Amino acid sequence: MRIGDLAARTGVSVRALRYYEEQGLLKANRSGSGQRHYPESVVDRVDLIQMLYAAGLSSRTIAELLPCV
């Protein structure tokens, strides 16, 4: 799915999703024209990231925890 679709499904802004990618929290496949494409499983990952941010964790801490989940 494209980044706008992911934003609509998760309620997270496109800007925040780009930030998550910059921080290494999300990975996107890129099309030949550079558009981001995400697998369906990323919806759950974004929900988890949102919960961890709401719990007060930093992006660095979240990046350390995600491989364990």
Side-chain angles (χ1 to χ4, degrees):
M1 84 183 75
R2 294 183 5 188
I3 194 166
D5 299 327
L6 180 59
R9 292 205 36 206
T10 60
V12 176
S13 71
V14 169
R15 182 175 181 201
L17 294 172
R18 288 185 187 127
Y19 174 77
Y20 295 169
E21 188 175 343
E22 288 174 11
Q23 297 301 306
L25 304 177
L26 289 180
K27 291 189 180 180
N29 297 317
R30 296 289 184 133
S31 69
S33 63
Q35 290 183 335
R36 292 169 173 88
H37 291 276
Y38 298 94
E40 187 70 27
S41 61
V42 172
V43 173
D44 291 334
R45 188 174 182 100
V46 171
D47 289 341
L48 176 60
I49 291 167
Q50 286 293 105
M51 286 190 288
L52 294 172
Y53 271 127
L57 277 67
S58 68
S59 58
R60 180 180 290 183
T61 302
I62 294 170
E64 291 174 5
L65 288 174
L66 284 177
C68 301
V69 178

